[in-house]
Amino acid sequence: MPSTIYNCLDPEGRKEGLAAAVEAVRAGQCVVLPTDTVYGIGADAFNNDAVARLLATKRRGPDMPVPVLVGSWSTIQGLVREFSDTAKTLVEAFWPGGLSIVVPEAPSLPWNLGDTRGTVLLRMPNQPLAIELLREVGPMAVSSANISGHEPPTHAIGAKQQFGDAISVYLDGGDSEVGEPSTIIDISGPAPVILREGAISAERIGEVLGLDAEQLRRK
């Protein structure tokens, strides 16, 4: 199936692109979409075949679980075992934005995101096109739009150069503003721990949580 890059900076292109992306996601296909950090490859989080296709396209195994993007603050509450005070504080301070949060997932959710060990990594991107798509189709499993080991692209053409016709719908929303991956913080254990520093510094997170940045960096 030939692929199409939709120019979503143009109103008509945006309308056509969103419609094509919604149709593709609902049909169990993967799409490429812009986020505020880097471009992502995404699929319906609750369609296990689609998530497996996403991993295969990236040439990545289930040992690195796929993050889930949501389109609103309220969506997180149905996906977590408990919406803790720490989670609430981080969501209110940094969403939408470049912070991914690892939390215990709600029991019996019908998804298979990889070897998650009972947790899920959640983020709400600060990108209007991505938000619009997420609000239309629901939570999406989204990983950076690159073949594993290659550089994550900050524009749609960079993703197309890696995936080609393996993806039918590319949404071009211009260059990603941040240009680096999100920061990942794990709050599923006894104390918050930063697993990857990226778009948001440990110092900023420490200020919000009332913790020293070095405490957050301890693994």
mmCIF file of all heavy atoms in Angstrom, residues 48-94:
data_model
loop_
_atom_site.group_PDB
_atom_site.id
_atom_site.type_symbol
_atom_site.label_atom_id
_atom_site.label_comp_id
_atom_site.label_asym_id
_atom_site.label_seq_id
_atom_site.Cartn_x
_atom_site.Cartn_y
_atom_site.Cartn_z
ATOM 1 N N ASN A 48 -3.801 -5.450 20.079
ATOM 2 C CA ASN A 48 -2.513 -6.113 20.299
ATOM 3 C C ASN A 48 -1.794 -6.449 18.998
ATOM 4 O O ASN A 48 -0.562 -6.433 18.941
ATOM 5 C CB ASN A 48 -2.710 -7.364 21.158
ATOM 6 C CG ASN A 48 -3.140 -7.014 22.581
ATOM 7 O OD1 ASN A 48 -2.893 -5.902 23.048
ATOM 8 N ND2 ASN A 48 -3.784 -7.928 23.270
ATOM 9 N N ASP A 49 -2.552 -6.763 17.939
ATOM 10 C CA ASP A 49 -1.916 -7.035 16.643
ATOM 11 C C ASP A 49 -1.253 -5.768 16.109
ATOM 12 O O ASP A 49 -0.162 -5.823 15.532
ATOM 13 C CB ASP A 49 -2.959 -7.535 15.623
ATOM 14 C CG ASP A 49 -3.443 -8.945 15.954
ATOM 15 O OD1 ASP A 49 -2.733 -9.657 16.695
ATOM 16 O OD2 ASP A 49 -4.534 -9.327 15.480
ATOM 17 N N ALA A 50 -1.928 -4.626 16.296
ATOM 18 C CA ALA A 50 -1.376 -3.361 15.815
ATOM 19 C C ALA A 50 -0.106 -2.996 16.578
ATOM 20 O O ALA A 50 0.868 -2.513 15.999
ATOM 21 C CB ALA A 50 -2.423 -2.255 15.945
ATOM 22 N N VAL A 51 -0.100 -3.241 17.893
ATOM 23 C CA VAL A 51 1.093 -2.951 18.702
ATOM 24 C C VAL A 51 2.241 -3.868 18.291
ATOM 25 O O VAL A 51 3.398 -3.430 18.185
ATOM 26 C CB VAL A 51 0.778 -3.080 20.210
ATOM 27 C CG1 VAL A 51 2.056 -2.908 21.039
ATOM 28 C CG2 VAL A 51 -0.264 -2.046 20.631
ATOM 29 N N ALA A 52 1.923 -5.139 18.002
ATOM 30 C CA ALA A 52 2.956 -6.074 17.536
ATOM 31 C C ALA A 52 3.519 -5.605 16.191
ATOM 32 O O ALA A 52 4.732 -5.701 15.933
ATOM 33 C CB ALA A 52 2.360 -7.478 17.402
ATOM 34 N N ARG A 53 2.642 -5.043 15.334
ATOM 35 C CA ARG A 53 3.076 -4.519 14.040
ATOM 36 C C ARG A 53 4.001 -3.309 14.241
ATOM 37 O O ARG A 53 4.987 -3.135 13.533
ATOM 38 C CB ARG A 53 1.843 -4.139 13.220
ATOM 39 C CG ARG A 53 2.108 -3.897 11.741
ATOM 40 C CD ARG A 53 0.813 -3.731 10.948
ATOM 41 N NE ARG A 53 0.059 -4.962 10.918
ATOM 42 C CZ ARG A 53 -1.185 -5.106 11.391
ATOM 43 N NH1 ARG A 53 -1.815 -4.080 11.926
ATOM 44 N NH2 ARG A 53 -1.797 -6.261 11.334
ATOM 45 N N LEU A 54 3.666 -2.477 15.222
ATOM 46 C CA LEU A 54 4.503 -1.317 15.541
ATOM 47 C C LEU A 54 5.910 -1.771 15.934
ATOM 48 O O LEU A 54 6.902 -1.246 15.431
ATOM 49 C CB LEU A 54 3.843 -0.518 16.668
ATOM 50 C CG LEU A 54 4.460 0.817 17.102
ATOM 51 C CD1 LEU A 54 3.410 1.670 17.825
ATOM 52 C CD2 LEU A 54 5.643 0.625 18.036
ATOM 53 N N LEU A 55 5.991 -2.755 16.814
ATOM 54 C CA LEU A 55 7.296 -3.259 17.260
ATOM 55 C C LEU A 55 8.075 -3.856 16.096
ATOM 56 O O LEU A 55 9.279 -3.652 15.960
ATOM 57 C CB LEU A 55 7.107 -4.296 18.369
ATOM 58 C CG LEU A 55 6.674 -3.750 19.736
ATOM 59 C CD1 LEU A 55 6.257 -4.881 20.667
ATOM 60 C CD2 LEU A 55 7.789 -2.934 20.379
ATOM 61 N N ALA A 56 7.368 -4.600 15.229
ATOM 62 C CA ALA A 56 8.029 -5.229 14.077
ATOM 63 C C ALA A 56 8.558 -4.171 13.110
ATOM 64 O O ALA A 56 9.665 -4.302 12.563
ATOM 65 C CB ALA A 56 7.050 -6.162 13.367
ATOM 66 N N THR A 57 7.786 -3.093 12.914
ATOM 67 C CA THR A 57 8.199 -2.022 11.999
ATOM 68 C C THR A 57 9.455 -1.331 12.524
ATOM 69 O O THR A 57 10.348 -0.953 11.771
ATOM 70 C CB THR A 57 7.064 -0.992 11.821
ATOM 71 O OG1 THR A 57 5.884 -1.668 11.368
ATOM 72 C CG2 THR A 57 7.433 0.075 10.812
ATOM 73 N N LYS A 58 9.521 -1.177 13.847
ATOM 74 C CA LYS A 58 10.707 -0.558 14.470
ATOM 75 C C LYS A 58 11.868 -1.548 14.615
ATOM 76 O O LYS A 58 12.977 -1.155 14.963
ATOM 77 C CB LYS A 58 10.343 -0.038 15.872
ATOM 78 C CG LYS A 58 9.682 1.322 15.882
ATOM 79 C CD LYS A 58 9.447 1.810 17.307
ATOM 80 C CE LYS A 58 10.713 2.018 18.111
ATOM 81 N NZ LYS A 58 11.310 3.367 17.946
ATOM 82 N N ARG A 59 11.560 -2.846 14.379
ATOM 83 C CA ARG A 59 12.538 -3.926 14.588
ATOM 84 C C ARG A 59 13.003 -3.946 16.039
ATOM 85 O O ARG A 59 14.204 -3.944 16.338
ATOM 86 C CB ARG A 59 13.735 -3.782 13.632
ATOM 87 C CG ARG A 59 13.312 -3.837 12.172
ATOM 88 C CD ARG A 59 14.467 -3.599 11.228
ATOM 89 N NE ARG A 59 13.993 -3.158 9.925
ATOM 90 C CZ ARG A 59 14.751 -2.606 8.991
ATOM 91 N NH1 ARG A 59 16.035 -2.428 9.218
ATOM 92 N NH2 ARG A 59 14.243 -2.218 7.844
ATOM 93 N N ARG A 60 12.022 -3.951 16.897
ATOM 94 C CA ARG A 60 12.288 -3.900 18.333
ATOM 95 C C ARG A 60 11.534 -5.027 19.023
ATOM 96 O O ARG A 60 10.418 -5.374 18.614
ATOM 97 C CB ARG A 60 11.809 -2.544 18.855
ATOM 98 C CG ARG A 60 12.096 -2.294 20.301
ATOM 99 C CD ARG A 60 11.937 -0.824 20.579
ATOM 100 N NE ARG A 60 10.930 -0.570 21.590
ATOM 101 C CZ ARG A 60 10.617 0.634 22.052
ATOM 102 N NH1 ARG A 60 11.216 1.691 21.592
ATOM 103 N NH2 ARG A 60 9.707 0.794 22.973
ATOM 104 N N GLY A 61 12.116 -5.606 20.051
ATOM 105 C CA GLY A 61 11.473 -6.697 20.768
ATOM 106 C C GLY A 61 10.575 -6.197 21.889
ATOM 107 O O GLY A 61 10.581 -5.005 22.228
ATOM 108 N N PRO A 62 9.804 -7.122 22.500
ATOM 109 C CA PRO A 62 8.890 -6.736 23.576
ATOM 110 C C PRO A 62 9.586 -6.398 24.889
ATOM 111 O O PRO A 62 8.942 -5.980 25.849
ATOM 112 C CB PRO A 62 8.010 -7.982 23.749
ATOM 113 C CG PRO A 62 8.858 -9.111 23.266
ATOM 114 C CD PRO A 62 9.714 -8.545 22.167
ATOM 115 N N ASP A 63 10.936 -6.561 24.922
ATOM 116 C CA ASP A 63 11.671 -6.242 26.152
ATOM 117 C C ASP A 63 11.688 -4.740 26.432
ATOM 118 O O ASP A 63 11.997 -4.320 27.536
ATOM 119 C CB ASP A 63 13.110 -6.767 26.073
ATOM 120 C CG ASP A 63 13.849 -6.252 24.837
ATOM 121 O OD1 ASP A 63 13.260 -6.322 23.742
ATOM 122 O OD2 ASP A 63 14.987 -5.791 24.969
ATOM 123 N N MET A 64 11.350 -3.909 25.405
ATOM 124 C CA MET A 64 11.245 -2.462 25.612
ATOM 125 C C MET A 64 9.803 -2.057 25.361
ATOM 126 O O MET A 64 9.405 -1.817 24.213
ATOM 127 C CB MET A 64 12.181 -1.714 24.664
ATOM 128 C CG MET A 64 13.656 -1.968 24.953
ATOM 129 S SD MET A 64 14.723 -1.181 23.713
ATOM 130 C CE MET A 64 14.487 0.544 24.102
ATOM 131 N N PRO A 65 8.967 -2.026 26.405
ATOM 132 C CA PRO A 65 7.529 -1.774 26.231
ATOM 133 C C PRO A 65 7.243 -0.435 25.559
ATOM 134 O O PRO A 65 8.028 0.512 25.669
ATOM 135 C CB PRO A 65 6.985 -1.793 27.664
ATOM 136 C CG PRO A 65 7.998 -2.524 28.460
ATOM 137 C CD PRO A 65 9.316 -2.249 27.812
ATOM 138 N N VAL A 66 6.114 -0.380 24.869
ATOM 139 C CA VAL A 66 5.741 0.822 24.123
ATOM 140 C C VAL A 66 5.019 1.808 25.049
ATOM 141 O O VAL A 66 4.094 1.416 25.767
ATOM 142 C CB VAL A 66 4.815 0.457 22.945
ATOM 143 C CG1 VAL A 66 4.549 1.689 22.076
ATOM 144 C CG2 VAL A 66 5.431 -0.654 22.113
ATOM 145 N N PRO A 67 5.412 3.075 25.023
ATOM 146 C CA PRO A 67 4.686 4.089 25.799
ATOM 147 C C PRO A 67 3.266 4.292 25.269
ATOM 148 O O PRO A 67 2.963 3.947 24.125
ATOM 149 C CB PRO A 67 5.519 5.358 25.578
ATOM 150 C CG PRO A 67 6.844 4.890 25.081
ATOM 151 C CD PRO A 67 6.585 3.629 24.340
ATOM 152 N N VAL A 68 2.416 4.898 26.089
ATOM 153 C CA VAL A 68 1.046 5.213 25.685
ATOM 154 C C VAL A 68 0.842 6.723 25.786
ATOM 155 O O VAL A 68 1.118 7.324 26.825
ATOM 156 C CB VAL A 68 0.021 4.475 26.576
ATOM 157 C CG1 VAL A 68 -1.399 4.953 26.279
ATOM 158 C CG2 VAL A 68 0.112 2.960 26.352
ATOM 159 N N LEU A 69 0.362 7.317 24.692
ATOM 160 C CA LEU A 69 0.020 8.738 24.697
ATOM 161 C C LEU A 69 -1.473 8.911 24.912
ATOM 162 O O LEU A 69 -2.277 8.128 24.383
ATOM 163 C CB LEU A 69 0.414 9.416 23.377
ATOM 164 C CG LEU A 69 1.900 9.491 23.026
ATOM 165 C CD1 LEU A 69 2.103 10.414 21.823
ATOM 166 C CD2 LEU A 69 2.742 9.964 24.199
ATOM 167 N N VAL A 70 -1.836 9.921 25.694
ATOM 168 C CA VAL A 70 -3.253 10.202 25.972
ATOM 169 C C VAL A 70 -3.558 11.639 25.565
ATOM 170 O O VAL A 70 -2.669 12.484 25.481
ATOM 171 C CB VAL A 70 -3.598 9.980 27.465
ATOM 172 C CG1 VAL A 70 -3.398 8.523 27.854
ATOM 173 C CG2 VAL A 70 -2.770 10.894 28.373
ATOM 174 N N GLY A 71 -4.848 11.918 25.330
ATOM 175 C CA GLY A 71 -5.250 13.217 24.832
ATOM 176 C C GLY A 71 -5.803 14.156 25.884
ATOM 177 O O GLY A 71 -6.161 15.290 25.571
ATOM 178 N N SER A 72 -5.863 13.697 27.141
ATOM 179 C CA SER A 72 -6.382 14.569 28.206
ATOM 180 C C SER A 72 -5.897 14.087 29.564
ATOM 181 O O SER A 72 -5.501 12.930 29.715
ATOM 182 C CB SER A 72 -7.914 14.576 28.188
ATOM 183 O OG SER A 72 -8.417 13.321 28.612
ATOM 184 N N TRP A 73 -5.949 14.982 30.539
ATOM 185 C CA TRP A 73 -5.583 14.606 31.911
ATOM 186 C C TRP A 73 -6.476 13.490 32.435
ATOM 187 O O TRP A 73 -6.024 12.594 33.139
ATOM 188 C CB TRP A 73 -5.734 15.821 32.843
ATOM 189 C CG TRP A 73 -4.677 16.856 32.755
ATOM 190 C CD1 TRP A 73 -3.677 16.924 31.832
ATOM 191 C CD2 TRP A 73 -4.499 17.974 33.634
ATOM 192 N NE1 TRP A 73 -2.887 18.029 32.076
ATOM 193 C CE2 TRP A 73 -3.370 18.690 33.163
ATOM 194 C CE3 TRP A 73 -5.170 18.437 34.755
ATOM 195 C CZ2 TRP A 73 -2.913 19.843 33.802
ATOM 196 C CZ3 TRP A 73 -4.714 19.595 35.380
ATOM 197 C CH2 TRP A 73 -3.594 20.285 34.909
ATOM 198 N N SER A 74 -7.755 13.565 32.131
ATOM 199 C CA SER A 74 -8.708 12.621 32.732
ATOM 200 C C SER A 74 -8.501 11.188 32.238
ATOM 201 O O SER A 74 -8.795 10.233 32.950
ATOM 202 C CB SER A 74 -10.150 13.052 32.456
ATOM 203 O OG SER A 74 -10.370 13.176 31.071
ATOM 204 N N THR A 75 -7.945 11.022 31.032
ATOM 205 C CA THR A 75 -7.773 9.676 30.475
ATOM 206 C C THR A 75 -6.891 8.813 31.356
ATOM 207 O O THR A 75 -7.104 7.607 31.468
ATOM 208 C CB THR A 75 -7.169 9.757 29.053
ATOM 209 O OG1 THR A 75 -7.948 10.646 28.269
ATOM 210 C CG2 THR A 75 -7.144 8.400 28.380
ATOM 211 N N ILE A 76 -5.893 9.424 31.985
ATOM 212 C CA ILE A 76 -4.934 8.653 32.785
ATOM 213 C C ILE A 76 -5.635 7.868 33.903
ATOM 214 O O ILE A 76 -5.234 6.769 34.254
ATOM 215 C CB ILE A 76 -3.828 9.570 33.381
ATOM 216 C CG1 ILE A 76 -2.776 8.739 34.147
ATOM 217 C CG2 ILE A 76 -4.385 10.643 34.272
ATOM 218 C CD1 ILE A 76 -1.616 9.566 34.693
ATOM 219 N N GLN A 77 -6.714 8.418 34.424
ATOM 220 C CA GLN A 77 -7.344 7.803 35.595
ATOM 221 C C GLN A 77 -7.914 6.415 35.308
ATOM 222 O O GLN A 77 -7.994 5.579 36.203
ATOM 223 C CB GLN A 77 -8.408 8.744 36.159
ATOM 224 C CG GLN A 77 -7.772 10.049 36.662
ATOM 225 C CD GLN A 77 -8.780 11.037 37.204
ATOM 226 O OE1 GLN A 77 -9.764 10.655 37.813
ATOM 227 N NE2 GLN A 77 -8.532 12.319 36.984
ATOM 228 N N GLY A 78 -8.299 6.156 34.055
ATOM 229 C CA GLY A 78 -8.808 4.832 33.712
ATOM 230 C C GLY A 78 -7.720 3.831 33.378
ATOM 231 O O GLY A 78 -8.011 2.648 33.163
ATOM 232 N N LEU A 79 -6.472 4.290 33.321
ATOM 233 C CA LEU A 79 -5.382 3.420 32.892
ATOM 234 C C LEU A 79 -4.447 3.023 34.026
ATOM 235 O O LEU A 79 -3.600 2.147 33.854
ATOM 236 C CB LEU A 79 -4.557 4.121 31.798
ATOM 237 C CG LEU A 79 -5.343 4.601 30.561
ATOM 238 C CD1 LEU A 79 -4.404 5.330 29.609
ATOM 239 C CD2 LEU A 79 -6.033 3.438 29.859
ATOM 240 N N VAL A 80 -4.593 3.668 35.190
ATOM 241 C CA VAL A 80 -3.670 3.415 36.297
ATOM 242 C C VAL A 80 -4.386 2.710 37.446
ATOM 243 O O VAL A 80 -5.597 2.823 37.604
ATOM 244 C CB VAL A 80 -3.043 4.728 36.814
ATOM 245 C CG1 VAL A 80 -2.271 5.408 35.707
ATOM 246 C CG2 VAL A 80 -4.099 5.673 37.371
ATOM 247 N N ARG A 81 -3.594 1.983 38.217
ATOM 248 C CA ARG A 81 -4.176 1.274 39.376
ATOM 249 C C ARG A 81 -4.656 2.275 40.416
ATOM 250 O O ARG A 81 -5.682 2.108 41.050
ATOM 251 C CB ARG A 81 -3.119 0.338 39.973
ATOM 252 C CG ARG A 81 -3.686 -0.679 40.967
ATOM 253 C CD ARG A 81 -2.643 -1.688 41.350
ATOM 254 N NE ARG A 81 -1.582 -1.081 42.155
ATOM 255 C CZ ARG A 81 -0.320 -1.490 42.134
ATOM 256 N NH1 ARG A 81 0.050 -2.466 41.332
ATOM 257 N NH2 ARG A 81 0.595 -0.896 42.889
ATOM 258 N N GLU A 82 -3.864 3.353 40.544
ATOM 259 C CA GLU A 82 -4.217 4.391 41.527
ATOM 260 C C GLU A 82 -3.637 5.712 41.039
ATOM 261 O O GLU A 82 -2.473 5.771 40.636
ATOM 262 C CB GLU A 82 -3.604 4.028 42.891
ATOM 263 C CG GLU A 82 -3.763 5.103 43.936
ATOM 264 C CD GLU A 82 -2.716 5.002 45.047
ATOM 265 O OE1 GLU A 82 -1.827 4.142 44.970
ATOM 266 O OE2 GLU A 82 -2.808 5.808 45.980
ATOM 267 N N PHE A 83 -4.450 6.747 41.017
ATOM 268 C CA PHE A 83 -3.980 8.071 40.603
ATOM 269 C C PHE A 83 -3.429 8.764 41.840
ATOM 270 O O PHE A 83 -4.137 9.485 42.549
ATOM 271 C CB PHE A 83 -5.120 8.861 39.963
ATOM 272 C CG PHE A 83 -4.679 10.125 39.271
ATOM 273 C CD1 PHE A 83 -3.546 10.145 38.465
ATOM 274 C CD2 PHE A 83 -5.397 11.299 39.424
ATOM 275 C CE1 PHE A 83 -3.130 11.305 37.819
ATOM 276 C CE2 PHE A 83 -4.995 12.475 38.783
ATOM 277 C CZ PHE A 83 -3.856 12.469 37.980
ATOM 278 N N SER A 84 -2.151 8.525 42.109
ATOM 279 C CA SER A 84 -1.530 8.979 43.355
ATOM 280 C C SER A 84 -1.324 10.498 43.352
ATOM 281 O O SER A 84 -1.393 11.158 42.310
ATOM 282 C CB SER A 84 -0.174 8.293 43.537
ATOM 283 O OG SER A 84 0.724 8.740 42.529
ATOM 284 N N ASP A 85 -1.033 11.033 44.544
ATOM 285 C CA ASP A 85 -0.758 12.469 44.667
ATOM 286 C C ASP A 85 0.457 12.874 43.832
ATOM 287 O O ASP A 85 0.484 13.952 43.233
ATOM 288 C CB ASP A 85 -0.513 12.848 46.137
ATOM 289 C CG ASP A 85 -1.793 12.787 46.956
ATOM 290 O OD1 ASP A 85 -2.886 12.795 46.351
ATOM 291 O OD2 ASP A 85 -1.697 12.719 48.196
ATOM 292 N N THR A 86 1.471 11.988 43.799
ATOM 293 C CA THR A 86 2.671 12.276 43.008
ATOM 294 C C THR A 86 2.330 12.362 41.531
ATOM 295 O O THR A 86 2.759 13.279 40.825
ATOM 296 C CB THR A 86 3.753 11.201 43.240
ATOM 297 O OG1 THR A 86 4.059 11.135 44.632
ATOM 298 C CG2 THR A 86 5.025 11.510 42.466
ATOM 299 N N ALA A 87 1.529 11.403 41.059
ATOM 300 C CA ALA A 87 1.109 11.411 39.655
ATOM 301 C C ALA A 87 0.324 12.677 39.348
ATOM 302 O O ALA A 87 0.562 13.347 38.335
ATOM 303 C CB ALA A 87 0.272 10.164 39.345
ATOM 304 N N LYS A 88 -0.578 13.036 40.233
ATOM 305 C CA LYS A 88 -1.413 14.229 40.036
ATOM 306 C C LYS A 88 -0.541 15.485 39.965
ATOM 307 O O LYS A 88 -0.729 16.345 39.097
ATOM 308 C CB LYS A 88 -2.424 14.324 41.178
ATOM 309 C CG LYS A 88 -3.450 15.442 41.060
ATOM 310 C CD LYS A 88 -4.528 15.267 42.132
ATOM 311 C CE LYS A 88 -5.631 16.304 41.997
ATOM 312 N NZ LYS A 88 -5.216 17.644 42.375
ATOM 313 N N THR A 89 0.424 15.586 40.863
ATOM 314 C CA THR A 89 1.320 16.743 40.893
ATOM 315 C C THR A 89 2.106 16.861 39.588
ATOM 316 O O THR A 89 2.220 17.947 39.008
ATOM 317 C CB THR A 89 2.301 16.622 42.082
ATOM 318 O OG1 THR A 89 1.542 16.588 43.297
ATOM 319 C CG2 THR A 89 3.263 17.794 42.130
ATOM 320 N N LEU A 90 2.639 15.735 39.114
ATOM 321 C CA LEU A 90 3.437 15.749 37.885
ATOM 322 C C LEU A 90 2.580 16.066 36.659
ATOM 323 O O LEU A 90 2.986 16.828 35.781
ATOM 324 C CB LEU A 90 4.142 14.401 37.701
ATOM 325 C CG LEU A 90 5.260 14.099 38.705
ATOM 326 C CD1 LEU A 90 5.723 12.662 38.575
ATOM 327 C CD2 LEU A 90 6.438 15.060 38.519
ATOM 328 N N VAL A 91 1.393 15.472 36.601
ATOM 329 C CA VAL A 91 0.487 15.716 35.475
ATOM 330 C C VAL A 91 0.108 17.190 35.410
ATOM 331 O O VAL A 91 0.149 17.825 34.339
ATOM 332 C CB VAL A 91 -0.770 14.826 35.599
ATOM 333 C CG1 VAL A 91 -1.904 15.319 34.715
ATOM 334 C CG2 VAL A 91 -0.425 13.374 35.239
ATOM 335 N N GLU A 92 -0.239 17.760 36.557
ATOM 336 C CA GLU A 92 -0.666 19.162 36.581
ATOM 337 C C GLU A 92 0.486 20.112 36.247
ATOM 338 O O GLU A 92 0.276 21.167 35.648
ATOM 339 C CB GLU A 92 -1.269 19.495 37.943
ATOM 340 C CG GLU A 92 -2.628 18.829 38.157
ATOM 341 C CD GLU A 92 -3.224 19.122 39.517
ATOM 342 O OE1 GLU A 92 -2.554 19.767 40.347
ATOM 343 O OE2 GLU A 92 -4.364 18.678 39.762
ATOM 344 N N ALA A 93 1.713 19.732 36.592
ATOM 345 C CA ALA A 93 2.864 20.600 36.347
ATOM 346 C C ALA A 93 3.392 20.491 34.916
ATOM 347 O O ALA A 93 3.826 21.494 34.337
ATOM 348 C CB ALA A 93 3.987 20.261 37.321
ATOM 349 N N PHE A 94 3.349 19.289 34.338
ATOM 350 C CA PHE A 94 4.105 19.070 33.095
ATOM 351 C C PHE A 94 3.289 18.581 31.897
ATOM 352 O O PHE A 94 3.832 18.442 30.809
ATOM 353 C CB PHE A 94 5.246 18.084 33.355
ATOM 354 C CG PHE A 94 6.254 18.581 34.349
ATOM 355 C CD1 PHE A 94 6.384 17.977 35.589
ATOM 356 C CD2 PHE A 94 7.063 19.662 34.051
ATOM 357 C CE1 PHE A 94 7.316 18.434 36.511
ATOM 358 C CE2 PHE A 94 8.002 20.130 34.959
ATOM 359 C CZ PHE A 94 8.133 19.519 36.197
#
